[in-house]
Amino acid sequence: VDAAGEAGIDRFVMLSSMGANDPESGPDPLRDYLIAKAEADEYLRESSLAHTIVRPGELTNEPGTGEVRVGTDFELGDGDIPREDVATVLAATLDRSSLVGETFELLAGDESIDDALASLTSE
């Protein structure tokens, strides 16, 4: 975050994790990871960077499908998502000024990435 600001970068997309909103409720093996993600998310929010925070569920190595679910009230264990789809969402988020300041969760689903991202700002 600091390096991006120093380099004059004004748009930042954070790869976070589901459960970072309440790390103490996460399973013991993930608790330290979720605490670190929560702290990083908060640090970004407090910065001057235009940002979006993406919190995927469990990552898989399956091929991407281009179809996802997005929301703000998923829980750890609600599902998973291929890494390829996460990467596609991160890239697509960069070009969407409507998602600046948003934090959302991401799982495999049945809606195209474009439609799913558009739905976040029309709710």
Side-chain angles (χ1 to χ4, degrees):
V1 170
D2 292 341
E6 291 169 10
I9 305 296
D10 62 358
R11 183 76 169 96
F12 197 102
V13 177
M14 174 74 80
L15 174 61
S16 186
S17 175
M18 283 179 57
N21 60 319
D22 187 13
E24 296 301 327
S25 295
D28 284 340
L30 286 181
R31 196 159 295 138
D32 288 340
Y33 172 78
L34 295 175
I35 290 169
K37 287 295 190 181
E39 290 173 357
D41 292 354
E42 187 59 28
Y43 193 80
L44 176 59
R45 280 191 199 99
E46 292 175 0
S47 78
S48 62
L49 298 176
H51 66 273
T52 304
I53 299 171
V54 180
R55 293 178 167 168
E58 182 179 348
L59 302 175
T60 72
N61 293 321
E62 300 299 316
T65 65
E67 296 184 331
V68 298
R69 281 190 298 158
V70 296
T72 57
D73 59 355
F74 299 149
E75 307 250 345
L76 276 173
D78 279 354
D80 56 29
I81 184 162
R83 285 177 169 84
E84 184 178 348
D85 285 334
V86 173
T88 302
V89 167
L90 293 173
T93 299
L94 279 171
D95 293 330
R96 294 179 180 266
S97 60
S98 61
L99 294 177
V100 169
E102 297 290 329
T103 299
F104 64 91
E105 288 136 3
L106 178 66
L107 296 171
D110 57 6
E111 191 170 22
S112 75
I113 289 170
D114 283 338
D115 288 348
L117 292 178
S119 75
L120 286 169
T121 55
S122 62
E123 293 180 339

